[in-house]
Amino acid sequence: MPKLTFLGHACFLLQTEDGETLLFDPFIIGNPQAPVSAEEIKAGYILVSHAHMDHLGDAYDIAARNDAMLISTSEIAEAAREKGLNVHGLHIGGSYRFPFGTVKLTLALHGSGIPGGHACGFLVSCGGKTIYFAGDTGLFGDMKLIGELNRPDLALLPIGDNYTMGPDDAVVAASFLKARQVIPYHYNTWPLIETDPLLFKEKVERQTGADCIILQPGEAHTL
Ligand code: NI
Ligand code: MN
């Protein structure tokens, strides 16, 4: 079963059954919640949803140290390639079959953090499970389509408000996505995005029937 570890803010580490390691939005240095140092992280693939510093974070350094492949939008992949990194660029709506499974880029309503680009989310299918990582995004109606077409087993959703969906919109997102399980992130890193995840859990479980798992930084969930 794939195992997902929360590394604080919007950073997750996904370990697949066949031993591959995928790192999402590795913001470690400067992240007051980070439970590990950037040097300790081992990853074969690094998925970057957009180039804001709390997502691109330490991606380049970790990719270089691990000789990892950086997966992102074409614009960010090109910027990373210019740093000498191994990259795979996709764009929204496009998917690609990697050795560990399939990655599809989804819409995210958010700035790209890089000229000309667009933020994205990721649908990752591996080991018979589909995980939706929303990236930084506001609520959008096409999450319904993502839910209908992909039936994610697990949806990772930002709930901290101000820069992304707040908890009430994230409850609507969870109902659109029809995920069996939901894990919130992008909250309580700083005072500006303080929110009570227990209130979100109570609402999302009551209104959508999904199980909500709250992970403290460093904690893991096996799908
Ligand atoms: Ni952002
Ligand atoms: Mn962010």
Side-chain angles (χ1 to χ4, degrees), residues 50 52 54-55 110-111 136 163-164 186:
H50 65 296
H52 288 154
D54 57 322
H55 298 263
H110 194 77
D136 272 8
Y163 300 112
T164 68
H186 212 278

Side-chain angles (χ1 to χ4, degrees), residues 1-168:
M1 295 288 137
K3 181 182 164 195
L4 188 79
T5 305
F6 182 45
L7 297 182
H9 196 57
C11 183
F12 291 90
L13 190 75
L14 178 68
Q15 288 161 294
T16 69
E17 281 175 309
D18 51 9
E20 196 47 84
T21 306
L22 282 66
L23 182 67
F24 295 78
D25 284 2
F27 166 51
I28 304 296
I29 295 175
N31 176 0
Q33 293 186 330
V36 292
S37 71
E39 288 74 20
E40 289 172 69
I41 297 178
K42 300 265 177 284
Y45 295 86
I46 302 178
L47 286 72
V48 177
S49 68
H50 65 296
H52 288 154
M53 64 85 185
D54 57 322
H55 298 263
L56 182 61
D58 307 294
Y60 291 170
D61 287 346
I62 296 171
R65 258 198 303 277
N66 288 272
D67 198 20
M69 173 175 279
L70 189 144
I71 301 173
S72 189
T73 60
S74 313
E75 289 81 6
I76 294 170
E78 266 322 299
R81 193 196 306 278
E82 283 169 18
K83 304 264 183 206
L85 299 175
N86 184 17
V87 303
H88 186 110
L90 296 102
H91 234 303
I92 293 165
S95 62
Y96 184 79
R97 194 184 173 95
F98 293 90
F100 61 83
T102 301
V103 175
K104 184 172 185 178
L105 259 66
T106 66
L107 176 66
L109 278 185
H110 194 77
S112 68
I114 191 168
H118 204 292
C120 72
F122 296 104
L123 275 163
V124 175
S125 301
C126 64
K129 303 283 183 187
T130 298
I131 299 161
Y132 172 56
F133 173 76
D136 272 8
T137 187
L139 176 65
F140 56 91
D142 282 358
M143 284 181 180
K144 264 187 190 165
L145 200 54
I146 294 173
E148 281 166 20
L149 296 179
N150 302 282
R151 295 282 169 156
D153 295 281
L154 171 64
L156 310 177
L157 299 175
I159 66 163
D161 219 338
N162 195 81
Y163 300 112
T164 68
M165 297 187 278
D168 289 345

